[in-house]
C-alpha cells in the first residue's frame, strides 16, 4: 500500500525545501489524517509500546493518593482543575479517580480536563471517563482562570517534537531533512537565532562534538504551565524517560511493535520520541520563580509513596495468577533495569511551603 503521509512530507520538501526534524516528527505523530497517534491505539502487547499505567493499576493508584494528599494540604479547595496532558487510553486518570473516590469532597471539587490531540484516543477516553464529565482541550489557554490546577502527564513530554543541533569542529549546524533521489536524507544547515537561544552556554561553548536536542514546543508548553501555576496555584507532575542533567546526545527513537526502527521507515506507522531534558525544565521553572521537586527516579517516587505496601495489600486477596501479575507489574514499574531508573519524576509548584511526597531522593 502506498504511504500517503510519506508522499505528503515529500511534497512539502519539494515545495518548501528542507524541513526540520521537529517538522517531520510533528507530521508523523500529529498529521490530522495520517499521524501516528491520530489513527490508532498504540499501547499494549499488540501495539508498539507499553506505558506505566498500562503495566499496572498501582501506578495510577499511587498518583491518585499523591494528588489526594496535595489537595488536602492545599486546604481542600472547593473547586480545582484536574488536568491530564496526553491521557492515552485514559487508564491513569481512571485509576486516579477510582482511588480518590472515597475522599470526601475531592470528586465534587474537581473539574476534569484532558488535553489530547488524537480523535481515536479521545474516543477511548470518552468510554472510560465520561461518567466524570471531562472537557477536552487542545490548548492550556482553554482552562478556566482563577482555579487551582493539579496537572499530571505521563509520557507526554517525550512525544513533543525536537530539533537536533550538531557540533562538528567549532561549528554548530541544525540537522534537517532533504530529498535525494526521492529518498529522505539528513542535511546540515545554519542554526537560527530562536534555536540558538535554547542551547545552554555550557553546551554551546563545549569543546566536544556531538548532538544537542532542543524542543521549542516543549519549552513553550512548560512556559504556559509555569504561568498558570504562578497565577492559579497548584502543582504539575511530569513522569517521563529522560536525563536529570542537560547533556549532549542523540536520543531520538522510533519504535514499532516493541522494536526500534529507522526514523524514515513507514512514516506515521511508528512512534517517535526523544528523552526529556529535566534540567532544562527545572531551569525554566526556576526562572519563572517556581519550586522544583526532583527529578527523582520512578522507583524512588513510587516506593516513597508506598507502592510495596499497596502491592502486598492487593496480593492478600489474590489468586496465584493475579499474584504473579501484580509482582511482575511492580517489578516492571520499579526495577532499575526496567522502568525504575530510566523514568524520572519532577513536580513544579509555586508554593515553597507545600510539602510534596515522594521526592526524598533528588538526583
Ligand atoms: N499518558 C498515556 C499516553 C502516553 S502517549 C500513558 O501513559 O499511557 C502520548 C499521549 O500524548 C497520547 O495520548 C498522544 O495522543 C498525546 N499527545 C502527543 N502530543 C500531543 C499534543 N501536542 N497535544 C495533545 N496531546 C498529545
Amino acid at each position: 500500500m502506498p504511504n500517503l503521509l510519506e508522499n505528503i512530507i515529500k511534497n512539502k520538501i519539494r515545495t518548501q525545501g528542507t524541513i526540520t526534524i521537529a517538522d517531520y516528527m510533528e507530521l508523523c505523530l500529529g498529521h490530522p489524517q495520517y499521524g501516528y497517534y491520530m489513527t490508532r491505539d498504540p499501547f499494549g502487547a499488540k501495539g508498539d509500546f507499553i506505558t506505566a499505567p498500562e503495566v499496572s493499576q498501582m501506578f495510577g493508584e499511587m498518583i491518585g493518593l499523591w494528588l489526594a494528599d496535595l489537595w488536602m494540604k492545599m486546604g481542600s479547595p472547593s473547586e480545582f482543575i484536574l488536568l491530564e496532558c496526553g491521557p492515552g487510553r485514559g487508564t491513569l486518570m481512571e485509576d486516579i479517580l477510582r482511588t480518590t473516590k472515597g475522599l470526601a469532597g475531592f470528586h465534587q471539587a474537581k473539574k476534569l480536563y484532558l488535553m489530547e490531540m488524537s480523535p481515536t484516543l479521545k474516543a477511548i477516553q470518552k468510554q472510560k471517563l465520561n461518567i466524570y464529565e471531562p472537557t477536552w482541550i487542545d490548548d492550556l489557554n482553554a482552562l478556566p482562570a482563577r482555579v487551582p490546577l493539579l496537572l499530571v502527564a505521563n509520557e507526554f513530554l517525550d512525544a513533543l517534537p525536537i530539533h537536533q543541533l550538531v557540533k562538528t569542529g567549532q561549528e554548530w549546524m541544525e540537522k534537517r531533512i532533504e530529498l535525494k533521489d526521492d529518498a529522505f536524507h539528513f542535511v546540515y544547515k545554519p542554526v537560527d537565532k530562536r534555536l540558538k537561544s535554547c542551547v545552554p552556554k555550557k553546551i554551546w561553548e563545549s569543546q566536544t562534538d556531538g548532538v544537542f536536542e532542543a524542543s521549542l514546543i516543549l519549552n513553550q508548553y512548560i512556559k504556559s504551565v509555569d504561568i498558570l501555576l504562578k497565577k492559579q496555584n497548584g502543582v504539575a507532575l511530569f513522569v517521563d524517560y529522560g536525563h536529570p542533567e542537560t547533556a549532549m546526545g542523540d536520543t531520538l527513537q522510533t519504535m514499532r511493535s516493541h522494536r526500534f526502527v529507522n526514523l524514515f521507515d513507514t512514516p506515521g506507522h511508528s512512534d517517535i520520541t526523544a528523552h526529556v531534558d529535566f534540567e532544562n525544565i527545572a531551569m525554566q521553572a526556576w526562572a519563572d520563580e517556581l519550586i522544583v521537586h526532583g527529578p527523582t527516579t520512578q522507583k524512588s517516587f513510587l516506593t516513597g509513596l508506598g507502592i510495596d505496601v499497596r502491592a502486598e495489600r492487593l496480593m492478600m486477596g489474590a489468586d496465584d495468577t493475579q499474584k504473579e501479575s501484580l509482582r511482575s507489574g511492580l517489578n516492571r514499574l520499579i526495577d532499575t533495569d526496567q522502568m525504575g531508573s530510566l523514568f524520572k519524576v519532577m513536580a513544579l509548584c509555586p508554593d515553597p511551603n507545600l510539602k510534596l511526597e515522594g521526592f526524598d531522593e533528588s538526583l
Side-chain angles (χ1 to χ4, degrees), residues 143-155:
L143 292 173
R146 288 183 290 277
V147 184
L149 167 70
L150 293 180
L151 183 163
V152 293
N154 184 61
E155 288 210 45

Side-chain angles (χ1 to χ4, degrees), residues 209-229:
D209 289 355
V211 175
F212 182 74
E213 294 172 340
S215 173
L216 297 169
I217 293 181
L218 181 143
N219 290 353
Q220 181 54 53
Y221 166 82
I222 293 294
K223 184 87 203 165
S224 308
V225 170
D226 291 354
I227 292 171
L228 276 169
L229 289 175

Side-chain angles (χ1 to χ4, degrees), residues 9-177:
I9 301 174
K10 284 183 174 170
N11 275 334
K12 190 178 164 80
I13 298 176
R14 280 185 203 109
T15 51
Q16 293 179 13
T18 65
I19 60 169
T20 66
I21 290 178
D23 294 331
Y24 182 81
M25 203 169 157
E26 196 165 345
L27 286 165
C28 287
L29 298 180
H31 183 277
Q33 270 167 293
Y34 306 114
Y36 175 73
Y37 283 114
M38 311 306 266
T39 52
R40 76 195 67 222
D41 169 5
F43 310 100
K46 288 205 194 94
D48 296 305
F49 60 97
I50 187 151
T51 57
E54 304 297 334
V55 165
S56 168
Q57 67 183 70
M58 292 184 283
F59 182 76
E61 289 172 347
M62 289 301 114
I63 294 184
L65 291 177
W66 186 83
L67 290 167
D69 172 67
L70 270 180
W71 178 71
M72 289 190 285
K73 284 177 179 158
M74 285 165 68
S76 310
S78 61
E79 204 183 340
F80 73 97
I81 299 165
L82 178 58
L83 165 68
E84 183 172 359
C85 294
R89 277 186 185 161
T91 310
L92 171 59
M93 190 47 78
E94 193 182 35
D95 289 334
I96 288 172
L97 290 168
R98 180 172 45 76
T99 309
T100 50
K101 218 180 226 155
L103 177 60
F106 186 92
H107 273 220
Q108 291 85 328
K110 62 119 196 30
K111 287 166 161 251
L112 179 60
Y113 285 85
L114 304 171
M115 190 163 115
E116 175 57 67
M117 69 174 179
S118 158
T120 312
L121 293 174
K122 268 185 206 168
I124 300 174
Q125 293 156 18
K126 202 172 215 161
Q127 280 175 10
K128 279 208 179 123
L129 299 170
N130 235 9
I131 47 165
Y132 301 108
E133 300 176 357
T135 305
W136 279 269
I137 56 168
D138 296 324
D139 196 287
L140 293 174
N141 291 324
L143 292 173
R146 288 183 290 277
V147 184
L149 167 70
L150 293 180
L151 183 163
V152 293
N154 184 61
E155 288 210 45
F156 169 71
L157 300 176
D158 66 65
L160 300 179
I162 57 139
H163 296 258
Q164 284 193 331
L165 311 183
V166 180
K167 186 167 197 179
T168 10
Q170 288 305 306
E171 208 176 12
W172 278 101
M173 300 291 256
E174 182 179 8
K175 197 168 171 182
R176 298 172 68 107
I177 299 166

Side-chain angles (χ1 to χ4, degrees), residues 61-353:
E61 289 172 347
M62 289 301 114
I63 294 184
L65 291 177
W66 186 83
L67 290 167
D69 172 67
L70 270 180
W71 178 71
M72 289 190 285
K73 284 177 179 158
M74 285 165 68
S76 310
S78 61
E79 204 183 340
F80 73 97
I81 299 165
L82 178 58
L83 165 68
E84 183 172 359
C85 294
R89 277 186 185 161
T91 310
L92 171 59
M93 190 47 78
E94 193 182 35
D95 289 334
I96 288 172
L97 290 168
R98 180 172 45 76
T99 309
T100 50
K101 218 180 226 155
L103 177 60
F106 186 92
H107 273 220
Q108 291 85 328
K110 62 119 196 30
K111 287 166 161 251
L112 179 60
Y113 285 85
L114 304 171
M115 190 163 115
E116 175 57 67
M117 69 174 179
S118 158
T120 312
L121 293 174
K122 268 185 206 168
I124 300 174
Q125 293 156 18
K126 202 172 215 161
Q127 280 175 10
K128 279 208 179 123
L129 299 170
N130 235 9
I131 47 165
Y132 301 108
E133 300 176 357
T135 305
W136 279 269
I137 56 168
D138 296 324
D139 196 287
L140 293 174
N141 291 324
L143 292 173
R146 288 183 290 277
V147 184
L149 167 70
L150 293 180
L151 183 163
V152 293
N154 184 61
E155 288 210 45
F156 169 71
L157 300 176
D158 66 65
L160 300 179
I162 57 139
H163 296 258
Q164 284 193 331
L165 311 183
V166 180
K167 186 167 197 179
T168 10
Q170 288 305 306
E171 208 176 12
W172 278 101
M173 300 291 256
E174 182 179 8
K175 197 168 171 182
R176 298 172 68 107
I177 299 166
E178 67 169 358
L179 288 180
K180 224 190 238 169
D181 301 327
D182 208 42
F184 294 121
H185 268 270
F186 289 122
V187 59
Y188 297 85
K189 298 279 179 186
V191 178
D192 75 26
K193 253 206 217 124
R194 248 177 4 139
L195 267 183
K196 184 179 173 188
S197 69
C198 297
V199 188
K201 206 160 167 243
K202 69 173 178 187
I203 299 284
W204 190 266
E205 290 173 358
S206 131
Q207 293 305 309
T208 30
D209 289 355
V211 175
F212 182 74
E213 294 172 340
S215 173
L216 297 169
I217 293 181
L218 181 143
N219 290 353
Q220 181 54 53
Y221 166 82
I222 293 294
K223 184 87 203 165
S224 308
V225 170
D226 291 354
I227 292 171
L228 276 169
L229 289 175
K230 281 292 278 182
K231 266 203 212 145
Q232 306 188 192
N233 198 15
V235 179
L237 179 76
F238 298 108
V239 185
D240 227 306
Y241 46 92
H243 33 274
E245 279 166 19
T246 299
M248 285 207 205
D250 181 348
T251 73
L252 196 69
Q253 61 186 45
T254 314
M255 249 196 163
R256 189 170 186 188
S257 306
H258 302 263
R259 287 215 179 84
F260 292 115
V261 294
N262 187 291
L263 178 67
F264 297 142
D265 285 351
T266 59
H269 295 281
S270 30
D271 188 34
I272 309 175
T273 58
H275 284 207
V276 174
D277 173 357
F278 282 96
E279 185 182 347
N280 167 47
I281 298 175
M283 296 298 276
Q284 207 169 315
W286 280 321
D288 293 331
E289 298 174 325
L290 292 176
I291 309 297
V292 177
H293 299 264
T296 188
T297 60
Q298 178 163 297
K299 175 182 181 168
S300 168
F301 181 72
L302 293 176
T303 45
L305 298 180
I307 196 168
D308 299 283
V309 181
R310 178 66 186 148
E312 272 171 34
R313 186 68 208 276
L314 286 169
M315 281 193 212
M316 273 159 57
D319 63 27
D320 285 350
T321 325
Q322 289 166 330
K323 273 189 190 147
E324 186 38 44
S325 125
L326 283 164
R327 217 169 281 129
S328 76
L330 179 67
N331 291 344
R332 189 134 187 203
L333 290 178
I334 65 173
D335 273 7
T336 43
D337 54 358
Q338 302 212 37
M339 293 174 132
S341 65
L342 178 60
F343 280 76
K344 313 287 186 302
V345 186
M346 177 177 266
L348 310 177
C349 137
D351 180 357
N353 299 316

